[in-house]
Amino acid sequence: MSRENIILIGFMGSGKTVVGRALSRQLSYEFYDTDEKIEEVTGLTIAQIFKKYGERRFRSEEELVIKKLAQKDGQVIATGGSLVLDQHNLDILREGGFFVLLKAEPEIIYQRLCRKNNRPQLGKKPTLEKVKEMIAEREAEYEKLADFSLNTSSFTVEEAASRIANSFRRHHVLSGDVNNIIV
Ligand code: S3P
């Protein structure tokens, strides 16, 4: 019986990478972050790819990475904030994936993004208005895809991860997949 991949989706700064890492440890799954993979493969940062080659190049690198990851199971995959908004990418990941949406209040996201200002989409300096505007544009799409969603604002990383792990286990109990229950 194959073990599903857990796909973490959500806006920049929602906690996909840190929570994903903790979740993978709790479940003894492998962890991958698509942006980190792209940086590893290209030898460039995401910001450099956008600046030097533009968004199209970034998208094609993203597609190559998820095509590779989708061939395996038993992984926690933290996606870039816009990856699942592309139907083609979504189709690649959808089969056998448990989609977890991470959310946080725009003010919290804004604070987190200001601390590490490396997101090309937000320009030289993020503004709260821009963050709110982009969340509003994307929210419905994210919600539509989510098998489970969690607001990370009021949890520690480990708590958030264990809530996701519990929901994942419940999902497998309910779907009768007893071989996929991790204890
Ligand atoms: C993006 C989010 C980033 C990165 C790229 C585009 C976006 O990933 O993939 O800068 O448009 O939401 P994180 O969500 O990990 O910040």
Side-chain angles (χ1 to χ4, degrees), residues 11-12 16 35 46 50 58 79-82 119-121 138:
F11 199 72
M12 299 170 251
K16 291 164 293 183
D35 284 347
I46 300 300
F50 269 85
F58 172 72
T79 60
S82 49
R119 302 332 202 262
Q121 265 77 356
R138 294 176 175 189

Side-chain angles (χ1 to χ4, degrees), residues 93-104:
L93 280 176
R94 181 113 71 178
E95 214 175 302
F98 182 70
F99 279 67
V100 175
L101 168 60
L102 296 188
K103 301 194 277 194

Side-chain angles (χ1 to χ4, degrees), residues 36-54:
E36 283 177 6
K37 269 289 192 208
I38 293 169
E39 292 186 340
E40 195 184 301
V41 171
T42 59
L44 297 166
T45 65
I46 300 300
Q48 284 170 333
I49 297 174
F50 269 85
K51 199 162 168 226
K52 276 179 116 167
Y53 304 106

Side-chain angles (χ1 to χ4, degrees), residues 18-29:
V18 271
V19 172
R21 246 183 246 290
L23 177 64
S24 70
R25 276 194 300 269
Q26 291 188 16
L27 295 175
S28 299
Y29 270 32

